[in-house]
């Protein structure tokens, strides 16, 4: 865990270029900005090369893509590979919708990614594991989720960040479990999407160590969520407000003080 | 009124598939999620059949559609009819823009809907009643708005939920008036769109009784708005926060205690 | 400065038609609504003429446009010119992305605008001044920013509102500097976009005096931001909530009491 990278991120203000889910884009932009990164969004393929050139990392969210966007995402991924910019992919709902799974698997052939961030159902789908998923939420299945994540990491030669009550980060061999977090993440629609882009921000300052970037991002976000949830009688409205405040205000020492993780 | 359906909704977590207004989509997703439903959004026609298959109800918001989306909406409506999933339609600004009115009327021929949710100006336009509307807000006219709503309900064989200071719900014969609410709904842009999707969530647990679903959704939302507006010196920022909190926290007994409605 | 125009705006509720940046559209709609204007958004070229006809001003945000939208923006600008509706243009990121600069410069030939609202890097780019910009934020350069803004105002025969720690408003001859504001604007992604549309609302009630509209809008927004930032330990989440509340609640006398501006 490199909590010092949070300070580095706030000094360097890396530019994270996002293909966004229009449902959560405002939250994601505000979350990146609050933490100390510079969000930039693009919808137009004609500006892809320039956008990649001014960016330090790419976050590709597949939460609401259209056919038009697939070509855009492909070009952005390929340009990012060419520029050696790390890519974080969020395969939203690939566990529930086979059209999305096919699209995500095709994109994973078109370019290589540094990190995939998803819930257990989404990660399972990428390796054709049997799994019950309902809508955007992960269901419950029988497989050993950690072993499954390791298989997916090896298959795509990338880091897997599997979100849930406990977050698991693996490169196919090493596994870290982050136990911090709050149930309120589940009732704030943008939580996962925000984490995906924040992984991008940490990847940008990681000098290529994406396992470290993913596990540090997971810990920072989970711990900040825990700090934001401290009030009693809190609901999703005030949690979102507190989350944005804490992304801006929380210091690495505060995170360190409550950090709860283990290497499996 | 079946306030017990709020508990049922929170147990069953129905999936509401939304064609969204991009202006308010984040609020709508958070509102559905806070109440206890599972929101899912889609922008791509190729995944329509699969999306409808995992959904329990459909909310079609015509707040910012493009030509491309019209084909998508038509297909989604027809697939939903085929799957017997209830559809709630929100004909945003059809009272002000004739292009939108023509599109909405065509869609109402392409598939049948369970509920139409709009303000008086929008409902009037669907039956070619003369009405003054300004932008997205309902203006003031001379017609008897309740009789007008009954005519529109009969014309489209559906339930009309006409929002305003008092909400009226009618199937063309029965009429319920819900007097709960707060002036702050009018200064929060996403209020109406949120209600439209929440009607979808109640329709999903109603076993086909859409009049009951619409009136219960109207009462629950109006009463929760009233609870959320209780602070003094509140503006649209803190109201939205409180509204999302109360959608999550409010119990059916609290709503019952302040319920103010009558069958006309 | 015509702070009385805030009251006029709240009486007249001008309709501001927006081409929106999908990242910030919800904040912009809520901000306009909170202040007292009526926001309306459109994504479909077929309804442009009708949309312009019911509008009092147009805000064109180039924050996330696609090729499809360029045709839409062009038509909207030309219809607005024909209807003598004032246009406010926000050339997002033209300082960083040459594709955006070329597009913005073409649009400025296709129709005339009343006001351009941007940061120093964006304003510089429109006149091909050398400038360092990083992402959506303005960088730091050597030119005299005020002289630069005057040149751009003369070039496009419009008012320039150049946002920053101090906002400068110029018609090419007169210059007003508005010193109010808060550092928190920079950590709330939608601040600039919100101001752009609010300039539109003031232009709508200005009877053609767009210099006065731009400087009054700048002062009102900066001062309201200052009021919203008064709490200690505030972050971007609670600032946004307070900002929307204060846009609704703040009276012209409160703004007058803290107004800090000068004619240069």
């Amino acid at each position: 865990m490199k909590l010092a990278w949070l300070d580095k991120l706030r000094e360097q203000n890396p530019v994270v270029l996002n293909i966004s889910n229009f449902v959560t884009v405002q939250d994601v932009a505000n979350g990146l900005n609050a933490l100390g990164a510079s969000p930039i969004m693009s919808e137009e393929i004609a500006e892809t090369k320039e956008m990649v050139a001014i960016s330090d990392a790419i976050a590709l969210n597949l939460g609401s893509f259209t056919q038009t966007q697939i070509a855009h995402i492909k070009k952005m991924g390929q340009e990012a590979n060419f520029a050696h910019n790390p890519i974080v992919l969020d395969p939203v709902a690939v566990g529930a919708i086979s059209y999305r799974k096919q699209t995500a698997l095709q994109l994973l052939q078109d370019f290589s990614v540094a990190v995939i961030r998803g819930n257990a159902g989404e990660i399972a789908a990428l390796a054709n594991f049997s799994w019950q998923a309902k809508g955007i939420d992960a269901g419950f299945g029988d497989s050993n989720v950690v072993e499954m994540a390791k298989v997916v990491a090896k298959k795509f030669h990338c880091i897997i960040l599997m979100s849930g009550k406990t977050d698991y980060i693996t490169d196919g061999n090493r596994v870290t479990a982050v136990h911090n977090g709050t149930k309120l993440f589940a009732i704030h629609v943008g939580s996962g999407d925000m984490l995906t882009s924040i992984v991008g921000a940490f990847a940008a300052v990681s000098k290529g160590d994406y396992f470290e970037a993913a596990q540090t991002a997971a810990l920072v976000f989970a711990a900040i969520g825990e700090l934001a949830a401290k009030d009693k009688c809190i609901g999703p409205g005030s949690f979102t407000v507190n989350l944005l405040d804490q992304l801006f205000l929380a210091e690495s020492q505060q995170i360190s003080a409550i950090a709860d993780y283990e290497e499996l």
Side-chain angles (χ1 to χ4, degrees), chain A:
Chain A
M1 286 294 170
K2 302 228 161 137
L3 283 176
W5 285 5
L6 176 57
D7 305 310
K8 199 172 160 190
L9 189 162
R10 285 170 173 167
E11 278 160 41
Q12 296 187 5
N13 311 124
V15 175
V16 181
L17 171 60
N18 298 271
I19 291 281
S20 305
N21 179 349
F22 80 117
V23 181
T24 59
V25 59
Q26 186 171 293
D27 258 6
V28 169
N30 277 311
L32 279 172
N33 211 32
L35 191 68
S38 288
I40 192 156
M41 276 69 179
S42 172
E43 295 282 289
E44 173 50 52
I45 195 167
E47 64 187 8
T48 306
K49 197 169 184 142
E50 283 192 271
M51 281 283 176
V52 170
I54 62 165
S55 302
D56 302 302
I58 317 287
L60 301 178
N61 185 305
L62 304 186
S64 60
F65 64 86
T66 58
Q67 297 268 5
T68 309
Q69 277 181 305
I70 294 170
H72 187 196
I73 292 168
K74 181 178 172 180
K75 185 168 171 58
M76 194 179 284
Q78 291 177 338
E79 293 285 353
N81 277 181
F82 189 75
H84 300 291
N85 279 357
I87 298 173
V88 184
L89 184 82
D90 191 333
V92 180
V94 294
I97 307 288
S98 67
Y99 170 77
R100 294 200 176 191
K101 183 170 106 173
Q102 288 156 22
T103 305
L105 290 174
Q106 180 58 52
L107 290 170
L108 284 164
Q109 291 196 326
D110 293 331
F111 52 82
S112 62
V113 304
V115 184
I116 299 174
R117 205 287 314 161
N119 61 37
E122 291 158 353
I123 301 303
L126 294 178
N128 291 310
F129 283 94
S130 165
W131 196 264
Q132 294 299 327
K134 184 184 179 189
I136 58 167
D137 305 314
F140 298 91
D142 292 315
S143 321
N144 181 321
V145 292
V146 175
E147 288 310 311
M148 181 183 79
K150 287 166 79 171
V151 170
V152 180
K154 283 177 180 160
K155 180 177 176 190
F156 297 107
H157 307 286
C158 70
I159 309 303
I160 298 296
L161 195 177
M162 184 166 63
S163 299
K165 197 186 160 196
T166 293
D167 289 347
Y168 296 100
I169 301 92
T170 182
D171 60 2
N173 297 300
R174 287 174 294 173
V175 181
T176 300
V178 172
H179 300 299
N180 291 96
T182 163
K183 278 190 258 182
L184 289 163
F185 275 137
I187 53 158
H188 171 229
V189 172
S191 300
D193 296 354
M194 213 185 260
L195 174 55
T196 296
S197 288
I198 286 173
V199 173
F202 277 93
V205 301
S206 74
K207 296 190 176 170
D209 187 349
Y210 303 133
F211 180 78
E212 197 63 71
Q215 71 172 1
T216 305
L219 174 60
V220 165
F221 191 65
I224 285 178
E226 211 171 296
L227 293 171
K230 277 212 166 148
D231 296 348
K232 52 189 159 111
C233 284
I234 202 173
S238 42
F239 174 65
T240 305
V241 172
N242 289 3
L243 181 62
L244 287 172
D245 280 355
Q246 288 301 327
L247 284 167
F248 179 66
L249 298 168
E251 303 288 348
S252 45
Q253 301 93 304
Q254 289 173 270
I255 294 166
S256 181
I258 62 168
D260 180 13
Y261 65 93
E262 57 184 321
E263 290 164 23
L264 299 188

